[in-house]
Amino acid sequence: MRAKSDHASGGSAAAASAASPPSEFDSIDPILQLLRFLPYGFLRPPRLRLKLPSSLALPSPMTVFCLVLLTYFAVVSGLVYDVIVEPPGIGSTQDRSTGAVRPVVFLPGRVNGQYIIEGLSSGFMFVLGGVGLILMDLALDRNRARSVRISFASFGISAIVIAYAMSMLFIRIKIPGYLW
Amino acid sequence: MGAKAENAVRPPSLAPSSSFPFPALRTLKLKTKQQELLIRVSALALIYVLAFAVRLFSVLRYESMIHEFDPYFNYRTTLFLTKNGFYEFWNWFDAESWYPLGRIIGGTLFPGLMVTAALIYRALRFLTFAVHIREVCVLTAPFFASNTTLVAYFFGKEIWDAGAGLAAAALIAICPGYISRSVAGSYDNEGVAIFALLLTFYFFVKAVNTGSLAWGLASAFGYFYMVSAWGGYVFIINLVPLYVLVLLITGRYSMRLYVAYNCMYILGMLLAMQIRFVGFQHVQSGEHMAAMGVFFLMQVFYFVDWVKYTLNDPKLFHSFLRITLTCSISVGALALGVGTATGYISPWTGRFYSLLDPTYAKDHIPIIASVSEHQPTAWSSFMFDFHILLFLFPAGLYFCFKRMSDATIFIVMYGLTSMYFAGVMVRLILVATPAVCLISAVAVSATIKNLTTLIRTKSKALQTVSSKGTSSLKASAKASLDQALPFQRNAALALLAGAFYLLSRYAIHCTWVTSEAYSSPSIVLAARGAHGGRVIFDDYREAYFWLRQNTPPDAKVMSWWDYGYQITAMGNRTVIVDNNTWNNTHIATVGRAMSSYEDEAYEIMQSLDVDYVLVVFGGVTGYSSDDINKFLWMVRIGGGVFPVIKEPDYLVNGEYRVDKGAAPKMLNCLMYKLCYYRFGELTTEYGKPTGYDRARGVEIGNKDVKLEYLEEAFTTSNWIVRIYKVKPPKNRW
C-alpha cells in the first residue's frame, strides 16, 4: 500500500490508540479486540508468497504512452476492418483500351471502405501530425540544449504541415466531391 | 492559468487607460476578471446557439419531419404516451406489429427519450405554446446537443482548465461524429443518450475528485437516465469499474474513490432495475459482472487497508492478509463458477460479444452482420467524422500523460476504449466523439497557451527592462533572452495564425459534411436533375399514405423488416416484421417467402394472413438501397433457419446477377417478380433497351413477368415503392 492513500479512521478509539505508543492492544474498539485473536485462533494462515517480485514495477507514463500511440495507429488505420473484411493490399483495374493492369491505391465509391496500404499510410499521417504537436511542446522545454530545441521545433512544424497537407490530399482523392 | 493570474496583478499604471476610445464609457470599464467572465459566458452562449443551428439543415431544406426508420417507432410511442398517459404506455401490448405474435412494447423499449420529449411537450403546453408533438420530437436532439456542449465545458474545466472547457464545447458543437445521430429529425435514442453519458461521467469524475456524497448521488441519477435512454449504458457500467481498478493499481485511491464508486454502483444498480427492459440484468448478466467484481474487490481492499492501519503490527497483519486473500479469492471464484454453471449468470450477448471478438458476428449472426452501421471502420470514416481531431488526439493524450491526475486518467481511458470500439463498428464513432473532443481540446488549449506565453514573455521582459533599467536586471533579462529560441515571437505569431487556420478549416469541413452527408431525411430522396435543378422523390410517404387511405383497417402488410416501423407509424397498418428484429425465425419466414417461387410463397403468406406485400425497387430512379440489393441478406437469413433456401442457387459463379445470365431460381422468385412486374415494358434511359435497370446497370433477364396469386395494387410515381394485393384462394378447383 503506497503512501499516497489516506487511511480511514476506523473509530475514535483507533485515533486514540495511534497517539499512544504502537503495538499496544489497549483500545476499547471491539472489532480490534476480535481481530487480535479471531482468525488466528482456529485458522492457520496458509503459506502464500505475497510479495510481488521487485522487478514487476509499474511502467513509466511515457512507456505506456508509446504503447498507446502504437495502438492508436493500428485502430485508426482500419486494422479491424482489414482483419474482418480482408481487402487486398492494393486494388487493381484494367485499362479499357490497352488491357494493362493498373494499380488503384484508394478504394473508390464508398466512404467506409479501404485497401490495406491506403489505411496504413493515412494512419501514419495522423500519427505524424500528433507527433509534430508533441515535438513542438517538447521544444519549449527550457532544460534542453538550444540546438536540440530548434531541431525539435522545426521537425514538429514541418511534420504538422506535411501531415495536414497529405491528409487533405488523400481525402480529396478518396471522395471526389469533397468540399465542392 | 499563469497568464490570467499575471493579468490580474499587473499594476494599473501599465493599463492603457489614456488610450480608451470612448471616455464617456469609462464608467462602464470592467475589471479584468469581469471581462474574462463576460467573454466566457458570451462564448458559451454562442456555442449553444451554434450547436442548435448547425443541425437544422434538413428542416430548412425539406420540412420538419422525422427521418430514417427507427425514429418512426419512437415517434409512434411518444404519440401514444402523450395521448394515453404513462401507465398505459408502460403496460402497452401492441398487436399491430409482428403479426401474429405482437410485441410487449412497455417491456422492450428504453423509455428515456419518449418521456423526455413528452415532458418538454407538457412544459411547452403549460406555457401555452400550442406546439404539435412532432415538432418537439424533431427538435429534441438538437436541444440536447446544445446541452451536451455545456456539460463538455464543465467537464473540460474539471480535467484541465476553463480554456480547455471552452475549446471542448466548441469542438463538440460541430463535430460530425455527433451530428450524424443528432441532427434535427433524427429522433433516436442516441440524441439524448450522449448527453446522459457525458453527464454521468462528469458527475462521477467530480465525485472522485471531491469525495462528496452529493456528487455520487448525482452520478447515480445520471446513470439511471442513461439506462433509461439507450442500450449503450453497458459501456458506462464496464468503463467505470475498469477506471476504479486502474486507480487501485496505480495507488491513487482514497476514501473519495470509495464513496464515489459505492454510491454510484449501488444506487445506480437499484435505479436501473426500475426499467423493465433492463430488469435484473445487473445481477444476472455476464456483461455487468465486472462492476460487481470490482465492487467486492474494493470492499476487501479497503477492509484490508483499514485493518493494516489499526493493527500496527506487520507480522500479525501479514497472516491476516493471507487468510483474507485466500478466503475472498476462493469465495469469489466459487460464486462465479456456480453462477455461470447453473446459468444464473448469462453469458455475453451476441451484440456485445462481437465488440470484443469482431469476427464473431460475421460467422454466426448474419442479422447483426448485415446492418451497414455495424461494419468495421475504415480510415476515411474516421477522417470524415473527426478531421483535425485525429491529429490533436495523440497530442492531447501526451499532455494528459504529462500532467496526470485522476480526471485525466479517466478521460484517457474513456478515449482509448471508445476509440477501439469505434474501430470495430462505425456506429460507435458516436460514443468516441465526446472523448476525442475533450482530449483534443486539452491539446488545443495547451498548445495555444504555450504559443501565447511565448508571445507575452518577451514583451514582459522588455517592459521590465525598460522601466527599471538596473544592470542586474538587464543581465538576467539578457540571460533569459539568450535561452529563448531565435525569432521566437514571430514564429509564435505565425504558428498562432496557423492554428487559427486549422481550426477554421475544421469548421468549414464540419459544416460541409453536415450539409452534404448527414442532413438527408432518408425517407425523402433528392437527386440532381438533368439541368442541375433538384428533384425530390417523396415516394415512401406517397405509398404509406395510399396504404392508410385505401386498405381495410385490419389489413396486414408483409415487407422486409427495414420498413416495418414506417408502415406502422405512417400507414397505420399491421406489419409482419419490423426493425426491432427480436424474432429471427419470423424474419427468416418472411425472407423465405420472398426468395421462394410464387406458389410456395403463397402458402407462407396464407399462413401469416398477409393481405398486402410491399417492396422497394430502385431500378427506375437508380436508387441503390432497394430490396433487390438487399435480397442476398433475405436469402442468407432465410437460409439460416430453413435449409431449403440455399444461397448458391441464386448466384452464378459466385456472382449476383439479375440480367439474362442470372440463375433461374433468381429470375422466378417472388422478390424478382414483384420488383420487375411490368418493368420490361418501360424505357428508363435514353438509348438503352426497355427494362434497363438503372440501379444495377443491366438489362433485366426476365422481362415477361406474370403473377398468379398476387395482383398489383399500387406503384408510386417513380416506381420506388410497389404494393401488391394477395388474392384470396380460388373458389373452384
Side-chain angles (χ1 to χ4, degrees), chain B residues 679-727:
Chain B
F679 184 63
E681 308 147 12
L682 197 68
T683 309
T684 52
E685 214 170 289
Y686 181 71
K688 296 277 194 318
T690 57
Y692 181 76
D693 184 344
R694 289 180 71 194
R696 261 65 54 184
V698 295
E699 186 188 345
I700 60 170
N702 184 3
K703 288 195 196 177
D704 187 23
V705 174
K706 292 210 179 353
L707 289 174
E708 193 185 333
Y709 297 100
L710 296 111
E711 61 184 4
E712 185 179 3
F714 182 68
T715 299
T716 56
S717 44
N718 294 301
W719 286 57
I720 292 187
V721 183
R722 311 194 66 182
I723 305 180
Y724 293 84
K725 184 166 158 49
V726 177
K727 289 198 247 192

Coordinates of all heavy atoms in Angstrom, one line a residue, chain B residues 679-727:
Chain B
F679 N -42.0 -4.1 -65.7 CA -40.9 -3.2 -65.9 C -40.3 -3.4 -67.2 O -39.6 -2.6 -67.8 CB -39.8 -3.6 -64.8 CG -38.6 -2.7 -64.8 CD1 -38.7 -1.3 -64.6 CD2 -37.4 -3.2 -65.1 CE1 -37.6 -0.5 -64.6 CE2 -36.2 -2.4 -65.1 CZ -36.4 -1.0 -64.8
G680 N -40.5 -4.6 -67.8 CA -39.9 -4.9 -69.1 C -40.5 -4.0 -70.2 O -39.9 -3.9 -71.3
E681 N -41.6 -3.4 -70.0 CA -42.2 -2.5 -71.0 C -41.7 -1.1 -70.9 O -42.0 -0.2 -71.7 CB -43.7 -2.5 -70.9 CG -44.3 -3.9 -70.8 CD -45.6 -3.9 -70.0 OE1 -46.1 -2.8 -69.6 OE2 -46.1 -5.0 -69.6
L682 N -41.0 -0.8 -69.9 CA -40.6 0.6 -69.6 C -39.3 1.0 -70.1 O -38.3 0.2 -70.0 CB -40.6 0.8 -68.0 CG -40.7 2.2 -67.5 CD1 -42.0 2.8 -67.8 CD2 -40.5 2.2 -66.0
T683 N -39.2 2.1 -70.7 CA -37.9 2.7 -71.1 C -37.4 3.6 -70.0 O -38.0 4.6 -69.8 CB -38.0 3.4 -72.4 OG1 -38.7 2.6 -73.4 CG2 -36.6 3.8 -73.0
T684 N -36.3 3.3 -69.4 CA -35.8 4.1 -68.3 C -34.8 5.1 -68.7 O -34.6 6.2 -68.1 CB -35.2 3.2 -67.2 OG1 -34.3 2.4 -67.8 CG2 -36.3 2.4 -66.5
E685 N -34.0 4.8 -69.7 CA -32.9 5.7 -70.1 C -32.8 5.8 -71.6 O -33.0 4.9 -72.3 CB -31.6 5.2 -69.5 CG -30.7 6.3 -69.0 CD -29.5 5.7 -68.3 OE1 -29.7 5.2 -67.2 OE2 -28.4 5.7 -68.9
Y686 N -32.5 7.0 -72.0 CA -32.5 7.3 -73.4 C -31.3 6.5 -74.0 O -30.2 6.6 -73.6 CB -32.2 8.8 -73.6 CG -32.2 9.2 -75.1 CD1 -33.3 9.2 -75.9 CD2 -30.9 9.6 -75.6 CE1 -33.2 9.6 -77.2 CE2 -30.9 10.0 -76.9 CZ -32.0 10.0 -77.7 OH -32.0 10.4 -79.0
G687 N -31.6 5.7 -75.1 CA -30.6 5.0 -75.8 C -30.4 3.6 -75.2 O -29.6 2.8 -75.8
K688 N -31.1 3.2 -74.2 CA -31.0 1.8 -73.7 C -32.2 1.1 -74.0 O -33.3 1.7 -74.2 CB -30.8 1.9 -72.1 CG -29.5 2.6 -71.7 CD -28.4 1.6 -71.7 CE -27.1 2.0 -71.0 NZ -26.6 3.3 -71.1
P689 N -32.1 -0.3 -74.0 CA -33.3 -1.1 -74.3 C -34.4 -1.0 -73.2 O -34.1 -0.4 -72.1 CB -32.8 -2.5 -74.4 CG -31.5 -2.5 -73.7 CD -31.0 -1.1 -73.8
T690 N -35.6 -1.5 -73.4 CA -36.6 -1.4 -72.4 C -36.2 -2.4 -71.3 O -35.4 -3.3 -71.5 CB -38.0 -1.9 -72.9 OG1 -37.8 -3.2 -73.5 CG2 -38.4 -1.0 -74.0
G691 N -36.6 -2.1 -70.1 CA -36.3 -3.0 -69.0 C -34.8 -2.8 -68.5 O -34.2 -3.7 -68.1
Y692 N -34.3 -1.6 -68.7 CA -32.9 -1.4 -68.2 C -32.9 -0.9 -66.8 O -33.5 0.1 -66.5 CB -32.3 -0.3 -69.1 CG -30.8 -0.1 -68.8 CD1 -29.8 -0.9 -69.1 CD2 -30.5 1.1 -68.1 CE1 -28.5 -0.7 -68.8 CE2 -29.2 1.4 -67.8 CZ -28.2 0.5 -68.1 OH -26.9 0.7 -67.8
D693 N -32.3 -1.7 -65.9 CA -32.3 -1.5 -64.5 C -31.2 -0.5 -64.2 O -30.0 -0.8 -64.3 CB -32.1 -2.8 -63.8 CG -32.2 -2.6 -62.3 OD1 -32.1 -1.5 -61.8 OD2 -32.3 -3.6 -61.6
R694 N -31.6 0.8 -63.8 CA -30.6 1.8 -63.6 C -29.8 1.6 -62.3 O -28.7 2.2 -62.2 CB -31.2 3.2 -63.6 CG -31.8 3.6 -65.0 CD -32.4 4.9 -64.9 NE -31.5 6.0 -64.8 CZ -31.8 7.2 -64.4 NH1 -33.1 7.5 -64.2 NH2 -30.9 8.1 -64.3
A695 N -30.3 0.9 -61.4 CA -29.5 0.7 -60.2 C -28.4 -0.3 -60.3 O -27.3 -0.2 -59.8 CB -30.4 0.4 -59.0
R696 N -28.7 -1.4 -61.1 CA -27.7 -2.4 -61.3 C -26.9 -2.2 -62.6 O -25.9 -2.7 -62.8 CB -28.4 -3.8 -61.4 CG -28.4 -4.7 -60.2 CD -29.1 -4.1 -59.0 NE -30.5 -3.8 -59.3 CZ -31.3 -3.3 -58.3 NH1 -30.9 -3.0 -57.1 NH2 -32.6 -3.0 -58.6
G697 N -27.5 -1.3 -63.5 CA -26.8 -1.0 -64.7 C -26.9 -2.1 -65.7 O -26.0 -2.3 -66.5
V698 N -27.9 -2.9 -65.7 CA -28.0 -4.0 -66.7 C -29.5 -4.1 -67.2 O -30.4 -3.6 -66.6 CB -27.6 -5.4 -66.1 CG1 -26.2 -5.4 -65.7 CG2 -28.5 -5.7 -64.9
E699 N -29.6 -4.8 -68.3 CA -31.0 -5.1 -68.8 C -31.5 -6.4 -68.1 O -30.7 -7.3 -68.1 CB -30.9 -5.3 -70.3 CG -32.2 -5.4 -71.0 CD -32.1 -5.8 -72.4 OE1 -30.9 -5.6 -72.9 OE2 -33.0 -6.2 -73.1
I700 N -32.7 -6.3 -67.6 CA -33.1 -7.5 -66.8 C -33.3 -8.7 -67.6 O -33.6 -8.6 -68.8 CB -34.4 -7.2 -66.0 CG1 -35.5 -6.8 -66.9 CG2 -34.1 -6.0 -65.0 CD1 -36.9 -6.8 -66.2
G701 N -33.2 -9.9 -67.0 CA -33.3 -11.1 -67.7 C -34.7 -11.6 -68.1 O -34.9 -12.0 -69.2
N702 N -35.6 -11.5 -67.1 CA -36.9 -12.0 -67.3 C -37.9 -10.8 -67.5 O -38.3 -10.2 -66.5 CB -37.3 -12.9 -66.1 CG -38.6 -13.5 -66.3 OD1 -39.3 -13.4 -67.3 ND2 -39.1 -14.2 -65.3
K703 N -38.2 -10.4 -68.7 CA -39.0 -9.2 -68.9 C -40.5 -9.5 -68.8 O -41.3 -8.6 -68.6 CB -38.7 -8.6 -70.3 CG -37.3 -8.0 -70.3 CD -37.2 -7.0 -71.5 CE -35.8 -6.7 -71.8 NZ -35.6 -5.9 -72.9
D704 N -40.8 -10.7 -69.1 CA -42.3 -11.0 -69.2 C -42.7 -11.7 -67.9 O -42.7 -12.9 -67.8 CB -42.5 -12.0 -70.4 CG -44.0 -12.2 -70.6 OD1 -44.7 -11.3 -70.2 OD2 -44.3 -13.2 -71.2
V705 N -43.0 -10.9 -66.9 CA -43.3 -11.5 -65.5 C -44.9 -11.6 -65.4 O -45.6 -10.6 -65.6 CB -42.8 -10.5 -64.4 CG1 -43.3 -11.0 -63.1 CG2 -41.3 -10.4 -64.5
K706 N -45.3 -12.8 -65.1 CA -46.7 -13.0 -64.9 C -47.0 -13.4 -63.4 O -46.2 -14.3 -62.9 CB -47.2 -14.1 -65.8 CG -47.2 -13.7 -67.2 CD -48.3 -14.4 -68.0 CE -48.3 -14.0 -69.5 NZ -47.4 -13.0 -69.9
L707 N -47.9 -12.8 -62.8 CA -48.2 -13.1 -61.4 C -49.5 -13.9 -61.3 O -50.5 -13.5 -62.0 CB -48.4 -11.8 -60.6 CG -47.1 -11.0 -60.3 CD1 -47.4 -9.7 -59.7 CD2 -46.2 -11.8 -59.5
E708 N -49.5 -15.0 -60.5 CA -50.7 -15.8 -60.5 C -51.5 -15.6 -59.2 O -52.7 -15.5 -59.2 CB -50.3 -17.3 -60.5 CG -51.4 -18.2 -60.8 CD -50.9 -19.7 -60.7 OE1 -49.7 -19.9 -60.9 OE2 -51.6 -20.6 -60.3
Y709 N -50.8 -15.4 -58.1 CA -51.5 -15.3 -56.8 C -51.6 -13.9 -56.3 O -52.2 -13.6 -55.2 CB -50.9 -16.2 -55.8 CG -50.9 -17.6 -56.1 CD1 -49.8 -18.2 -56.7 CD2 -52.0 -18.4 -55.9 CE1 -49.8 -19.6 -57.0 CE2 -52.1 -19.7 -56.2 CZ -50.9 -20.3 -56.8 OH -51.0 -21.6 -57.1
L710 N -50.9 -12.9 -56.9 CA -50.9 -11.6 -56.4 C -51.4 -10.7 -57.6 O -51.2 -11.0 -58.7 CB -49.6 -11.1 -55.9 CG -49.0 -11.8 -54.7 CD1 -47.8 -12.7 -55.2 CD2 -48.6 -10.9 -53.7
E711 N -51.9 -9.5 -57.2 CA -52.1 -8.5 -58.3 C -51.6 -7.2 -57.8 O -51.5 -6.9 -56.6 CB -53.6 -8.4 -58.6 CG -54.4 -8.0 -57.4 CD -55.9 -8.1 -57.7 OE1 -56.3 -8.5 -58.8 OE2 -56.7 -7.7 -56.8
E712 N -51.2 -6.4 -58.8 CA -50.6 -5.1 -58.4 C -51.7 -4.1 -57.9 O -52.7 -4.0 -58.5 CB -50.0 -4.5 -59.7 CG -49.2 -3.2 -59.3 CD -48.5 -2.6 -60.6 OE1 -48.8 -3.2 -61.7 OE2 -47.8 -1.6 -60.5
A713 N -51.4 -3.6 -56.7 CA -52.3 -2.6 -56.1 C -51.9 -1.2 -56.4 O -52.7 -0.3 -56.7 CB -52.5 -2.9 -54.6
F714 N -50.6 -0.9 -56.2 CA -50.2 0.5 -56.3 C -48.7 0.5 -56.6 O -48.0 -0.2 -56.0 CB -50.5 1.2 -55.0 CG -50.1 2.7 -55.0 CD1 -50.9 3.6 -55.8 CD2 -49.1 3.2 -54.2 CE1 -50.5 4.9 -55.8 CE2 -48.8 4.5 -54.2 CZ -49.5 5.4 -55.0
T715 N -48.3 1.4 -57.5 CA -46.9 1.7 -57.7 C -46.8 3.2 -57.6 O -47.5 3.9 -58.3 CB -46.5 1.2 -59.1 OG1 -46.6 -0.2 -59.1 CG2 -45.0 1.5 -59.3
T716 N -45.8 3.7 -56.9 CA -45.6 5.1 -56.8 C -45.1 5.8 -58.0 O -44.7 5.1 -59.0 CB -44.6 5.4 -55.6 OG1 -43.4 4.8 -55.9 CG2 -45.2 4.9 -54.3
S717 N -45.1 7.1 -58.0 CA -44.9 7.8 -59.3 C -43.5 7.5 -59.9 O -43.3 7.6 -61.1 CB -45.1 9.3 -59.1 OG -44.5 9.7 -57.9
N718 N -42.5 7.2 -59.0 CA -41.2 6.9 -59.6 C -40.8 5.5 -59.4 O -39.7 5.1 -59.5 CB -40.1 7.8 -58.9 CG -40.3 9.2 -59.1 OD1 -40.2 9.7 -60.3 ND2 -40.5 10.0 -58.1
W719 N -41.8 4.6 -59.2 CA -41.7 3.2 -59.1 C -40.8 2.8 -58.0 O -40.3 1.6 -57.9 CB -41.1 2.6 -60.4 CG -42.0 2.6 -61.6 CD1 -42.7 3.6 -62.1 CD2 -42.4 1.4 -62.4 NE1 -43.4 3.3 -63.2 CE2 -43.3 1.9 -63.3 CE3 -42.1 0.1 -62.3 CZ2 -43.8 1.0 -64.3 CZ3 -42.6 -0.8 -63.3 CH2 -43.5 -0.3 -64.2
I720 N -40.7 3.6 -56.9 CA -39.8 3.2 -55.9 C -40.5 2.2 -54.9 O -39.9 1.2 -54.5 CB -39.3 4.4 -55.1 CG1 -38.4 5.2 -56.0 CG2 -38.5 4.0 -53.8 CD1 -37.7 6.4 -55.3
V721 N -41.7 2.5 -54.6 CA -42.4 1.5 -53.7 C -43.6 0.9 -54.5 O -44.3 1.6 -55.2 CB -43.0 2.3 -52.5 CG1 -43.7 1.3 -51.5 CG2 -41.9 3.0 -51.7
R722 N -43.6 -0.4 -54.4 CA -44.7 -1.1 -55.1 C -45.5 -2.0 -54.2 O -44.9 -2.7 -53.3 CB -44.0 -2.0 -56.2 CG -43.0 -1.2 -57.0 CD -42.6 -2.0 -58.3 NE -43.8 -2.0 -59.2 CZ -43.8 -2.7 -60.4 NH1 -42.6 -3.3 -60.8 NH2 -44.8 -2.7 -61.1
I723 N -46.8 -1.9 -54.2 CA -47.6 -2.6 -53.3 C -48.5 -3.6 -54.1 O -49.1 -3.2 -55.1 CB -48.5 -1.7 -52.5 CG1 -47.7 -0.6 -51.8 CG2 -49.4 -2.4 -51.5 CD1 -48.5 0.4 -51.0
Y724 N -48.6 -4.8 -53.6 CA -49.3 -5.9 -54.3 C -50.4 -6.4 -53.3 O -50.1 -6.6 -52.1 CB -48.4 -7.0 -54.8 CG -47.5 -6.6 -55.8 CD1 -46.3 -6.0 -55.5 CD2 -47.8 -6.8 -57.2 CE1 -45.4 -5.6 -56.5 CE2 -46.9 -6.4 -58.2 CZ -45.8 -5.8 -57.8 OH -44.9 -5.4 -58.8
K725 N -51.5 -6.8 -53.9 CA -52.6 -7.4 -53.1 C -52.5 -8.9 -53.2 O -52.4 -9.4 -54.4 CB -53.9 -6.8 -53.5 CG -55.1 -7.3 -52.7 CD -56.3 -6.4 -53.0 CE -57.6 -7.1 -52.6 NZ -57.7 -7.6 -51.3
V726 N -52.6 -9.6 -52.1 CA -52.6 -11.1 -52.2 C -54.1 -11.5 -52.5 O -55.0 -11.2 -51.8 CB -52.2 -11.7 -50.8 CG1 -52.3 -13.2 -50.9 CG2 -50.8 -11.2 -50.5
K727 N -54.2 -12.3 -53.6 CA -55.6 -12.7 -54.0 C -56.1 -13.8 -53.0 O -55.3 -14.6 -52.6 CB -55.6 -13.2 -55.4 CG -55.3 -12.1 -56.4 CD -55.8 -12.6 -57.8 CE -54.6 -12.8 -58.7 NZ -54.9 -13.0 -60.1

